[in-house]
Amino acid sequence: MGIVLNGGTIVTAADQYQADVRIEGERIVAIGCDIKQPGDQAIDVDGCFLFPGGIDPHTHFDLPMGDFSTSDDFFSGTKAAILGGTTTILDFATQFKGETLKEGLANWHIKANGKSYVDYGFHMAITDWNEAIANEMKVLIEEDGVSSFKLYMAYKNSLQVDDQALLQALRQAGESGGLVCVHCENGDIVYDLVHEHLKQGKTTPKYHPLSRPPEVEEEATQRAITLAQIAGAPLYVVHLSCSGALQAVTNAKLKGLEIYAETCPQYLLLNDSYYNAEGFNGAKYVISPPLRPIQHQEILWSGLNTGVLDVVATDHCAFNYKGQKDKGINDFSKIPNGAAGVETRLGLIYTHGVLSGKLTINDFVALTSTNAAKLFGLFPRKGTIAPGSDADIVVWDPRQSTVIKAEELHQQVDYTPYEGFKRSGQAIHVFLRGKQVVQDGQLKEDKPAGIYLSRKPFLKRKVG
């Protein structure tokens, strides 16, 4: 017995056409007309788009940060994800100082196992570098299906690595079939600017972006690109937020370098004026990199439209305003960095990208699903609607319209940075490997059914 989605319009990164989709077990088995077989369940999706399930390659669920962890764990975060149309996430398993990569990975398997409503994989964040760790990278790629790694150029004295470590990690990844993802901010300069502000009694949230100006991101992005070029390795720049960093990526791509980059809805839709919110409310927007002046937004949209930016991810890293963000009420540097976004990503990009004419609907699918699948070793199992692919399908009703309100969302956090934003379209039905998890916009399954995804090694020229 199968399931047939009747009357919808299939949208992939390359095509848009009307056809029925037949699901059997976990896979798509047929696309066309009159494909229903005896005993099949037919679901009318007339007037709706059928998108591949969204892939968010940048989340932080159940991440320890000092005295507490992010407010969303895998249970609440992935519930929010699937209700928003995302069926796969890649979270950042983190190796803390003194741990092996295997130990860090094992810790994240414990956090996620049996608790995820979506399928999931892990990048491996490396904070402690030595020869043994370098050798472990190849083991994780070959034995554990972890083919991407993250290093930080920011957060001095905690997560930050030096240039030699980054160069060696890039070289090792390039030789082993891995892709290095980098947080590009000059941590030394940020450290200095933060302390200069604090010495002058400048402690409120509005000094957060002033301590991390666009120049520190631009410089670090260019430096990471240079190191990748020297190593002869590919590079993926995470959460790119400013025009200077985008120009560095553009120049690298024009040279034929293997450089990829993502941005996030917050950098496309919010700006640094939010830090001037009444009272301490600017803390809600303390993220890194910070929100930028509004003129950067159109430049980033252009980067998406032209293919310089490859992915729209979220960097979902949620902290409650009360009880977590307010730990920095007397010192902006103590405000935990991060905000929520995994539930609202597709609706925001569809509304403000596709409907505004900034993106085509095929661009939308590429940026929210297909390109991530290709870059991170999941395509064509994920990221498209085709026979043989996993039946991860979002039935998107463009006739729906909502206003984002924190109390109506499912993420486990007491605010949303997108409060009051209008959304056109909604994921009314969502299928995960052939099983309908969301029906009429509501969660149908109480028990999480997401599985761990062992990913293929990185292969060059996967996008474009």
Side-chain angles (χ1 to χ4, degrees):
M1 178 178 173
I3 298 171
V4 176
L5 304 179
N6 285 327
T9 298
I10 296 169
V11 185
T12 68
D15 299 303
Q16 179 180 348
Y17 58 97
Q18 191 164 12
D20 300 339
V21 178
R22 184 169 185 271
I23 301 166
E24 193 172 287
E26 296 189 342
R27 301 292 177 93
I28 298 167
V29 294
I31 295 174
C33 299
D34 301 319
I35 56 176
K36 185 175 182 290
Q37 296 187 8
D40 284 351
Q41 174 192 3
I43 299 176
D44 180 14
V45 294
D46 185 58
C48 295
F49 294 119
L50 304 182
F51 296 143
I55 299 173
D56 188 348
H58 194 149
T59 66
H60 297 281
F61 296 139
D62 203 1
L63 174 67
M65 294 283 284
D67 296 334
F68 43 76
S69 296
T70 50
S71 61
D72 272 316
D73 59 10
F74 278 85
F75 184 84
S76 64
T78 60
K79 180 191 291 186
I82 203 159
L83 284 161
T86 290
T87 55
T88 298
I89 59 102
L90 297 178
D91 202 79
F92 288 90
T94 301
Q95 167 238 25
F96 294 109
K97 301 290 186 183
E99 292 180 340
T100 66
L101 300 187
K102 284 277 194 179
E103 287 169 341
L105 181 61
N107 291 336
W108 253 256
H109 274 298
I110 292 169
K111 293 173 185 286
N113 186 36
K115 302 169 188 172
S116 182
Y117 281 94
V118 304
D119 287 352
Y120 60 94
F122 298 125
H123 310 284
M124 190 74 236
I126 300 173
T127 68
D128 198 6
W129 182 257
N130 54 53
E131 187 176 350
I133 297 302
N135 293 331
E136 254 195 303
M137 290 176 70
K138 186 174 182 180
V139 175
L140 259 65
I141 294 168
E142 294 177 350
E143 296 182 2
D144 299 285
V146 175
S147 54
S148 47
F149 303 85
K150 183 180 184 181
L151 289 95
Y152 293 82
M153 300 172 80
Y155 303 116
K156 187 175 177 68
N157 299 325
S158 59
L159 301 174
Q160 183 176 333
V161 299
D162 61 25
D163 287 356
Q164 183 182 20
L166 180 53
L167 176 64
Q168 291 176 351
L170 283 161
R171 185 185 296 126
Q172 179 71 3
E175 293 171 354
S176 305
L179 176 61
V180 170
C181 310
V182 179
H183 176 132
C184 295
E185 288 183 291
N186 186 314
D188 290 340
I189 294 176
V190 171
Y191 184 86
D192 180 80
L193 292 176
V194 166
H195 284 82
E196 281 298 306
H197 282 107
L198 294 177
K199 279 197 303 184
Q200 298 170 31
K202 298 174 179 178
T203 61
T204 60
K206 71 179 182 180
Y207 295 104
H208 172 71
L210 298 178
S211 70
R212 313 178 89 96
E215 291 81 2
V216 305
E217 181 183 354
E218 178 182 352
E219 184 279 331
T221 303
Q222 183 57 64
R223 182 156 40 99
I225 290 169
T226 300
L227 292 171
Q229 183 177 13
I230 292 169
L235 170 70
Y236 182 91
V237 178
V238 301
H239 50 44
L240 188 148
S241 75
C242 68
S243 60
L246 181 66
Q247 188 61 56
V249 172
T250 302
N251 293 342
K253 289 195 172 194
L254 288 173
K255 292 178 182 177
L257 300 181
E258 198 77 2
I259 309 298
Y260 304 96
E262 70 178 27
T263 192
C264 308
Q266 53 267 36
Y267 304 120
L268 298 166
L269 301 173
L270 307 176
N271 63 75
D272 63 350
S273 69
Y274 285 76
Y275 293 114
N276 296 317
E278 184 180 356
F280 190 62
N281 281 292
K284 296 176 179 178
Y285 307 95
V286 169
I287 58 177
S288 291
L291 301 179
R292 301 302 188 190
I294 197 167
Q295 62 265 27
H296 291 266
Q297 290 181 0
E298 287 305 314
I299 296 169
L300 294 179
W301 280 112
S302 177
L304 293 172
N305 179 261
T306 58
V308 176
L309 293 171
D310 303 285
V311 173
V312 176
T314 63
D315 191 13
H316 183 104
C317 189
F319 295 99
N320 284 311
Y321 177 62
K322 296 181 179 178
Q324 292 187 309
K325 289 280 189 179
D326 57 9
K327 297 295 184 184
I329 196 164
N330 296 314
D331 178 349
F332 73 86
S333 71
K334 291 183 168 55
I335 301 169
N337 287 205
V342 75
E343 188 170 356
T344 51
R345 177 181 66 129
L346 293 190
L348 289 170
I349 300 304
Y350 177 79
T351 303
H352 298 278
V354 178
L355 296 186
S356 71
K358 292 182 174 73
L359 302 173
T360 69
I361 199 164
N362 304 105
D363 291 336
F364 168 79
V365 171
L367 292 164
T368 61
S369 182
T370 309
N371 289 353
K374 290 180 176 181
L375 285 167
F376 295 110
L378 294 170
F379 190 83
R381 179 180 178 185
K382 307 286 189 183
T384 193
I385 295 177
S389 296
D390 280 359
D392 295 351
I393 300 174
V394 176
V395 179
W396 187 265
D397 189 345
R399 298 160 294 196
Q400 302 291 322
S401 181
T402 57
V403 175
I404 297 174
K405 299 177 182 178
E407 65 266 23
E408 295 177 1
L409 297 175
H410 301 83
Q411 48 204 24
Q412 192 169 276
V413 60
D414 60 5
Y415 77 98
T416 170
Y418 307 106
E419 187 75 30
F421 272 69
K422 293 181 180 179
R423 265 186 313 188
S424 296
Q426 183 181 359
I428 57 168
H429 306 311
V430 181
F431 294 82
L432 175 66
R433 282 179 287 104
K435 187 172 186 178
Q436 188 171 4
V437 182
V438 175
Q439 182 175 13
D440 297 323
Q442 302 297 317
L443 196 67
K444 183 182 178 184
E445 297 291 330
D446 292 330
K447 186 177 180 182
I451 61 171
Y452 173 70
L453 299 170
S454 179
R455 297 181 289 119
K456 295 177 289 187
F458 177 80
L459 297 175
K460 291 190 175 183
R461 298 297 176 199
K462 296 300 290 184
V463 174

